Amino acid sequence: MSKDAERPYIVFGFQSTHDALSAEAALATARVGLVVMPTPKVLGALCGIALRVAEADAPAAEQVLAEAGIASSGSARILDR
Amino acid sequence: MAEFDLPPIVYFDHAATSWPKPDTVLDAMQRAVLYAGGNPGRGAHRLAVAASRTILEARGAVAGLLGVSEPRDLVFTAGCTEALNVAIKGLLKPGDRVVVSSMEHNAVARPLNLLAAAGVIVDIVRADEHGHVDADIVERAVAECETRAVICQHASNVTGVIQPIGDFADIAHEAGAVLVVDGAQATGHMRIDLSVLGADVYASSGHKGLLGPQGVGILYLSPDIDPDELVQGGSGGSSEEPLQPRSRPDRYEAGTSNTPGIAGLGASARYLSIHGDELRALEGELTARLHEGFLGIPGLRVLGPILGEERVPVVSVVHERVDGDRIAFELDRRYGIAVRAGLHCAPWAHETIGTLDSGAVRFGIGYGLTADDVDRALAAMREICA
């Protein structure tokens, strides 16, 4: 795979599945593109689900989560294909 | 959805469990099994996420129906009994005092009897002969000494009486106690708004007036209280933590949830959000029709509130000569009418209203019943009691 194909994403972790899916619903309503994925090790946990958004959309995503009152347990920048 | 022929039963046992269910409940359960069959909260593949979404949406639907502003505070349990056990055992410690009504179901009485043996002080406030719990008596009992909790049903599964929960909330809170409410007979049959009711804990069945399937119940916990969880185990996340996570609802939902059941309950909550007022109006009419008809049958005594007084759609009767078990047997065998005789898992209540020795025959009204069904039941009762 070419390194040019790698794109930066921000992945958000959550304390519970309820929070993660509430966040998913809020982001979808706000038309922020996302992908549900297993929580990556970089977030300090090995289970649960996380939400991945394009790096360029991360500020908008953070704003949506703040307005919805949903706290992320952490976020990290990852490179994916 | 497959079509089935229902058995020819006139079903008056809604206070035990509602039957039949709205088609949308069956449809939602089938969809959950077929299209959301993963383990909710476990894994990020599409079938697991679909299961998680099913539960999220159901939680939102039930919260919306009951006026719970934060769905995280609404926990799914295996039933009302489990919900009450979580609340009672999670809140009360040896030395704590609880004031409880004498109308409670065994789902409250038995946990309290167990805790009493372990040092919890249980003071029972006696209701009157119709089942009414007087707020003034509760207030005096609470004032006697420090009280951790007041526990009362919202409505009786024996007499149908509705208790003044708002008054109990004021009394409990002024004394620094919490109010725990058993809403098994109220949800669905009454319009309930937990944002104003004042209960710190509200437990209910999913399968009675809420019209969901058996095997699922609800437990509302106010954000201000923090009962211990009864069960520890997998929660899907925070697996590296040695103890149960404290975040709601995960703290109280260890183990794999009943996704099909919760899906069905979510569907029934959405159904009631649309049709609840209409159904409650019909239940009220049918209850009054049945009650009035019973008053014309010689030797038959109707328990609970007098005709015209507010009650949930439960009408229990005792005949001076024909035993309750005989009535229930004849109704089933000769007329295809389902009722429940006996003590209804509520010996405290029957002792209170003077029917501990005889029991009673309970007619529970709900979804699917008609005026013709009520008239058929009355005609059968006239023959059996003749």
Side-chain angles (χ1 to χ4, degrees), chain A residues 16-19 21 24 38 47 49, chain B residues 41 43-44 52-53 72 236 239 250:
Chain A
S16 68
T17 302
H18 180 91
D19 282 0
L21 292 183
E24 181 200 25
C47 58
I49 62 176
Chain B
S52 299
R53 287 196 190 107
R72 290 177 186 80
S239 297
D250 290 11

Side-chain angles (χ1 to χ4, degrees), chain B residues 82-96:
Chain B
E82 181 183 298
L84 287 164
N85 270 264
V86 171
I88 291 169
K89 295 173 181 170
L91 285 169
L92 299 175
K93 308 299 175 204
D96 285 346

